[in-house]
Amino acid sequence: MYIAIIIIFVIGYLAIALEHNINVNKTATALLLGVLCWTLLVFGSATIFPHFESIEASHFISESLLEHVGEISEILFFLLGAMTIVELMDAHEGFGLITDKIKIKKKSHLLIILSFITFFLSAALDNLTTAIVMAAVLRKMIKDKNDLWIFASMMIIAANAGGAWSPIGDVTTIMLWIGGQITASNIVTAIFIPSLVSTLIPLAILSSKLKGDVAIMDNHLGASHTKNEISTFDKTIVFATGVSALLFVPIFKTVTHLPPFMGILFGLGIMWILTEVLHMKKNEEHKKSLSISAILTRIDTPSILFFLGILLAVAALQVGGHLLQLSQVLDANFDSVYAINLLIGLLSSIIDNVPMVAAAMGMYPLETYAVDSVFWELLAYCAGTGGSILIIGSAAGVAIMGIFKIDFIWYVKKISFVAILGYLAGIGAYMLLN
């Protein structure tokens, strides 16, 4: 059964990677994979856990499952709260307060401005949400298909890099932060410069290739999903409160020592009450379309369930001892945390970075690498930025690919090389700083 778990995991991984080829949603595969791995642990307990009696092994597996479900739930509740806050800001056209100010026409200058907006916005929100928001911006601003693809590709790089240095900017950094491998203040100071370098190198190359001006079609991006007019006051107060709620989470954790999901739920509760008060005297149709109840229907629930399934599968490999064995192989062949993380980053361009980081967390307990060690800092950077090398390597890339129908081969030819240069330059910058 020990080998069977590996085989099932590999098959499941391939099915997830080839989602669009086999026309089976990756969430369904991930959920099935998670359950199957734990089921095989139970059926193979006699050989996988020979030092336990049958009843003891079953008890150990059940206790381990409940422990891991608790840890995974922290991540899922955090994502659910963060997604709801961002959707609420979007429904109130809050992001238009930023994008309406963009009046630049020169292509290279516009790319630079949008890239920096994406880089910092991704740190405050998350790379996937930021990529979707910036896609809405680009759709309103860029006519030419080739220019649009270049702009969109740069947004992927900037969003992934921006998410890497923030504890709430990427699912992988959220996992490391909640898991106790990194602290919020340290990851910002340690990874900001490398992440910035990994953005600046591709940005310099791509902006130099863009010539002339772009015709600004329409800067008003009203993201509202309703026909109702939303006042400037409502936009401003909801946007400011939403950003404040997200940025308050690290402070909440530092002060209370409670898990981050408690901070995000606190912020969501504040915003829920705020929007109820704002729309209290408005007509029912207006209130209903902008209420939290309506917003919850737009949450990307399949993504949350995907994380649940894949993290359960990785947890099964950890409990079964597979990840420990893999870490021993890596340590034997790559006697350097830089080499190991470089490899993880490259693999994350092919394989989703969430299970890559989950696997690394399972392979290397805190007894091996202490909190805020070089290994964890570099893992946050490599897993976050390595996904930009291929367009399928990150959630932001997959989202942009779907929105603009960007060709995979075009991305490999035009973008992958500059993304690798940025990725390696960021690692070089980190090594110099350390």
Side-chain angles (χ1 to χ4, degrees):
M1 286 297 181
Y2 185 87
I3 301 298
I5 292 175
I6 298 175
I7 294 172
I8 291 295
F9 189 81
V10 171
I11 293 173
Y13 237 121
L14 289 174
I16 290 170
L18 300 173
E19 173 189 19
H20 299 293
N21 299 87
I22 64 176
N23 292 318
V24 175
N25 191 286
K26 67 179 182 179
T27 299
T29 304
L31 289 173
L32 185 61
L33 179 62
V35 175
L36 282 177
C37 285
W38 281 95
T39 302
L40 291 176
L41 270 184
V42 173
F43 288 142
S45 59
T47 54
I48 298 174
F49 309 108
H51 51 288
F52 283 138
E53 295 291 336
S54 177
I55 297 178
E56 290 178 339
S58 297
H59 180 71
F60 171 73
I61 293 171
S62 297
E63 289 294 319
S64 299
L65 176 59
L66 290 176
E67 180 182 344
H68 282 285
V69 167
E71 295 172 358
I72 293 169
S73 296
E74 290 188 34
I75 299 171
L76 300 186
F77 280 127
F78 183 94
L79 291 174
L80 181 62
M83 286 179 176
T84 306
I85 289 174
V86 171
E87 283 287 350
L88 192 61
M89 293 159 64
D90 184 41
H92 286 79
E93 302 180 10
F95 297 110
L97 296 171
I98 298 175
T99 56
D100 286 350
K101 308 298 181 184
I102 301 174
K103 304 295 181 183
I104 299 169
K105 290 188 176 182
K106 190 174 179 61
K107 291 179 183 178
S108 57
H109 292 175
L110 181 62
L111 181 65
I112 292 171
I113 294 298
L114 292 179
S115 296
F116 275 101
I117 290 175
T118 303
F119 181 81
F120 288 102
L121 194 61
S122 179
L125 305 179
D126 66 74
N127 54 356
L128 174 58
T129 301
T130 302
I132 294 171
V133 170
M134 297 311 293
V137 175
L138 295 178
R139 183 178 285 148
K140 294 288 186 179
M141 301 180 75
I142 312 295
K143 288 182 179 179
D144 182 76
K145 178 182 176 181
N146 188 65
D147 287 345
L148 181 61
W149 282 10
I150 291 175
F151 271 78
S153 299
M154 189 59 227
M155 295 309 103
I156 294 171
I157 295 172
N160 287 336
W165 62 270
S166 166
I168 60 173
D170 185 281
V171 175
T172 53
T173 48
I174 291 172
M175 289 166 59
L176 291 169
W177 182 40
I178 292 175
Q181 281 77 13
I182 60 174
T183 57
S185 58
N186 185 77
I187 197 65
V188 172
T189 54
I191 303 300
F192 176 77
I193 297 299
S195 295
L196 184 62
V197 169
S198 74
T199 302
L200 292 176
I201 299 298
L203 179 58
I205 296 172
L206 293 177
S207 62
S208 67
K209 295 180 179 180
L210 293 172
K211 307 297 181 184
D213 296 342
V214 61
I216 305 296
M217 293 187 290
D218 181 10
N219 265 356
H220 181 69
L221 299 176
S224 176
H225 303 276
T226 164
K227 297 180 181 179
N228 295 303
E229 186 69 26
I230 300 174
S231 69
T232 303
F233 175 79
D234 286 358
K235 293 181 189 178
T236 305
I237 193 68
V238 171
F239 181 74
T241 306
V243 172
S244 299
L246 293 168
L247 297 178
F248 177 69
V249 174
I251 301 172
F252 181 89
K253 183 179 187 297
T254 302
V255 173
T256 65
H257 301 290
L258 290 171
F261 80 90
M262 294 292 284
I264 206 73
L265 292 180
F266 176 79
L268 178 59
I270 294 295
M271 290 201 69
W272 198 322
I273 293 172
L274 172 66
T275 52
E276 291 284 340
V277 172
L278 282 177
H279 306 306
M280 188 179 295
K281 296 183 179 180
K282 295 171 183 174
N283 63 68
E284 284 301 317
E285 183 182 353
H286 189 97
K287 288 168 61 177
K288 185 177 180 180
S289 62
L290 296 175
S291 67
I292 291 285
S293 300
I295 300 301
L296 286 172
T297 62
R298 298 202 292 269
I299 298 301
D300 188 9
T301 306
S303 290
I304 293 177
L305 291 176
F306 168 74
F307 295 140
L308 172 61
I310 202 67
L311 291 175
L312 280 174
V314 171
L317 294 183
Q318 181 179 348
V319 173
H322 302 78
L323 297 186
L324 176 61
Q325 187 175 14
L326 179 59
S327 69
Q328 293 169 346
V329 172
L330 288 175
D331 289 338
N333 292 278
F334 301 96
D335 189 24
S336 167
V337 294
Y338 291 97
I340 292 173
N341 278 301
L342 175 65
L343 179 62
I344 289 175
L346 293 175
L347 287 174
S348 71
S349 67
I350 303 170
I351 303 170
D352 192 274
N353 59 0
V354 171
M356 289 296 296
V357 171
M361 291 168 68
M363 287 189 290
Y364 302 102
L366 288 173
E367 291 76 16
T368 306
Y369 295 111
V371 178
D372 288 331
S373 66
V374 170
F375 180 83
W376 299 120
E377 292 174 354
L378 202 57
L379 177 61
Y381 168 80
C382 291
T385 59
S388 301
I389 296 172
L390 295 178
I391 197 168
I392 61 170
S394 66
V398 172
I400 292 290
M401 183 183 186
I403 292 170
F404 294 119
K405 311 301 179 187
I406 297 177
D407 183 70
F408 176 84
I409 302 300
W410 178 92
Y411 190 94
V412 171
K413 290 179 178 179
K414 301 288 186 179
I415 307 298
S416 290
F417 180 69
V418 298
I420 290 175
L421 289 180
Y423 173 68
L424 296 176
I427 295 176
Y430 180 84
M431 293 176 72
L432 287 175
L433 292 171
N434 288 272

